[in-house]
Amino acid sequence: MQSNQFSIKIGGHITLLFSIQSKSFDLDEQGSRGAGICIHKGVEVSTTGRKGNGNVIITSDIENLSVKLYNLIIEEMVKDFKIIKKYDWEFLIKSDLPFSQGFGCSASGALSAIIGILKIIKEEENIFQNAITIAHRVERKMSSGLGDVTALSAGGVELRVEPGLPFPPNNGKIINWDSDFPMILCWERNKQKHTSEYIDNEDWKKSISDAGEQCISILNKKEWNKNIWNDLLEQSKIFGETSRILFDSNRKEILYLIENVLNDLKLNSFWEVRLCMLGSSAVILPRDIEKFNQEDLEQILKRLKKLKLNGCITKTNLNPIRI
């Protein structure tokens, strides 16, 4: 292999509620319990491998992109695939979404890069499990994600029942259901929060986990299928309040602005707004996932942009990792 290139785009993930499960010394057992939605908007990485010495070159105009993450990917992969250090690796990274806003961009970028490397070195046996495992470990080392990687392994609307990797010998467990519905992602520029600001802080960890466990215990008592949607909306609202995340930074303000837009357009009985964890961001979701008017979203988005809020329309992603 003189030079080879592979491109893949993987959708992001939004978390609606969660609890932090990071006590284990084993990275594979760390993660979170929680619920969220896999989405189509995400991160595309074009990976190029050339004869070299394991150097990493990153080309991107993305704000808050972590160069360390991609160097750590190489370090982690060399442990199992020695050939990687005989090549220099270049990552051209493009994203539909801002990083550090709770959209799972770090996880989708890591997965895209890892799959590209595995394709280039022709290690395609067990590529799905290898990619999930490596991305999960790197995310945990960076404190940049808890459950995004395992969520993306499932797709759709997912419930992370037990933390950690969902492959033997690990005890991670994730269940999901499929539904095709649209949503708006909304965020304020320059208001990003790195996940570690919360999950590495003991006070926030307790507040978030106590609230998350209460909500998850309620959801766990019911069948995880489309009929639980209203319960998920309700519990995600409760989580934002009881965890106190709603009252941190300017999150309450962004919810207030969006709720006012929905009221003004007389669409508040059809669409709900919820926080995305953990940026200064929110998602506008249909109250009825079987019956909604897609044209509503264009109206809402137009009004949000007048308020200088950033946003985009996306939808659920039933299969985020197409290898």
Side-chain angles (χ1 to χ4, degrees):
M1 182 185 82
Q2 293 300 314
S3 176
N4 211 338
Q5 192 263 349
F6 184 84
S7 295
I8 185 171
K9 178 180 175 180
I10 291 177
H13 171 256
I14 55 173
T15 294
L16 296 175
L17 57 90
F18 70 108
S19 72
I20 300 164
Q21 307 289 325
S22 58
K23 288 182 180 178
S24 174
F25 290 108
D26 187 343
L27 296 177
D28 294 356
E29 294 177 0
Q30 293 180 13
S32 66
R33 295 189 183 96
I37 306 169
C38 295
I39 57 177
H40 270 276
K41 296 281 188 184
V43 180
E44 179 181 19
V45 179
S46 295
T47 302
T48 303
R50 297 185 179 90
K51 286 266 186 191
N53 304 298
N55 296 318
V56 176
I57 302 166
I58 294 173
T59 305
S60 182
D61 58 2
I62 298 169
E63 294 179 16
N64 300 300
L65 181 73
S66 172
V67 172
K68 183 181 177 182
L69 175 73
Y70 291 86
N71 280 285
L72 195 55
I73 285 169
I74 298 299
E75 288 177 25
E76 190 67 30
M77 293 187 75
V78 163
K79 295 175 185 176
D80 292 319
F81 308 103
K82 306 295 184 190
I83 191 174
I84 287 173
K85 62 183 176 184
K86 295 182 179 179
Y87 297 89
D88 289 338
W89 297 96
E90 182 173 355
F91 302 110
L92 172 61
I93 306 165
K94 300 176 183 177
S95 180
D96 301 320
L97 301 166
F99 278 53
S100 300
Q101 284 284 21
F103 300 138
C105 291
S106 149
S108 51
L111 282 165
S112 298
I114 292 162
I115 290 167
I117 294 168
L118 292 172
K119 286 278 189 179
I120 288 168
I121 65 172
K122 304 199 182 307
E123 286 286 349
E124 297 187 52
E125 188 176 352
N126 298 322
I127 189 170
F128 180 85
Q129 184 168 330
N130 282 331
I132 296 296
T133 300
I134 296 162
H136 175 81
R137 290 172 181 170
V138 170
E139 281 272 84
R140 292 308 309 122
K141 286 185 176 182
M142 291 284 296
S143 281
S144 54
L146 282 165
D148 290 327
V149 172
T150 51
L152 289 169
S153 74
V157 181
E158 102 294 332
L159 179 68
R160 301 183 300 285
V161 180
E162 294 296 340
L165 288 170
F167 315 115
N170 308 294
N171 295 318
K173 182 182 178 184
I174 184 166
I175 54 178
N176 72 326
W177 49 267
D178 293 345
S179 185
D180 194 15
F181 59 85
M183 68 197 81
I184 289 180
L185 304 179
C186 185
W187 65 92
E188 290 191 284
R189 275 194 77 183
N190 305 318
K191 299 285 187 180
Q192 296 90 343
K193 284 275 204 176
H194 193 276
T195 305
S196 62
E197 293 181 45
Y198 292 95
I199 63 177
D200 293 341
N201 178 294
E202 289 303 319
D203 289 339
W204 273 118
K205 189 185 290 188
K206 178 171 177 23
S207 175
I208 289 168
S209 295
D210 287 351
E213 285 299 307
Q214 287 177 16
C215 295
I216 294 160
S217 68
I218 291 170
L219 295 175
N220 259 334
K221 292 173 183 174
K222 304 188 178 187
E223 289 291 317
W224 189 251
N225 56 37
K226 292 179 182 181
N227 297 326
I228 205 168
W229 179 245
N230 288 333
D231 296 287
L232 177 55
L233 286 178
E234 178 65 18
Q235 291 306 314
S236 62
K237 183 177 183 179
I238 292 169
F239 173 77
E241 294 169 352
T242 56
S243 67
R244 295 186 292 111
I245 286 176
L246 172 61
F247 308 104
D248 184 50
S249 191
N250 62 331
R251 291 194 180 88
K252 196 166 185 181
E253 180 186 333
I254 193 172
L255 284 192
Y256 179 74
L257 287 172
I258 297 169
E259 284 168 353
N260 276 350
V261 167
L262 294 178
N263 287 332
D264 289 345
L265 293 171
K266 295 183 170 47
L267 295 174
N268 52 311
S269 59
F270 303 103
W271 300 89
E272 292 261 3
V273 56
R274 291 291 180 272
L275 292 173
C276 297
M277 311 299 160
L278 285 160
S280 294
S281 54
V283 57
I284 302 170
L285 296 160
R287 285 195 173 188
D288 186 341
I289 55 174
E290 301 288 348
K291 188 171 65 176
F292 49 79
N293 186 352
Q294 178 98 26
E295 293 175 4
D296 289 350
L297 296 181
E298 297 291 350
Q299 283 190 70
I300 297 167
L301 191 58
K302 189 175 179 181
R303 188 69 69 89
L304 292 174
K305 288 184 175 178
K306 284 185 179 178
L307 295 172
K308 308 299 184 189
L309 291 173
N310 296 277
C312 66
I313 297 172
T314 187
K315 64 177 183 174
T316 47
N317 195 339
L318 312 183
N319 184 18
I321 307 173
R322 296 180 177 89
I323 300 173

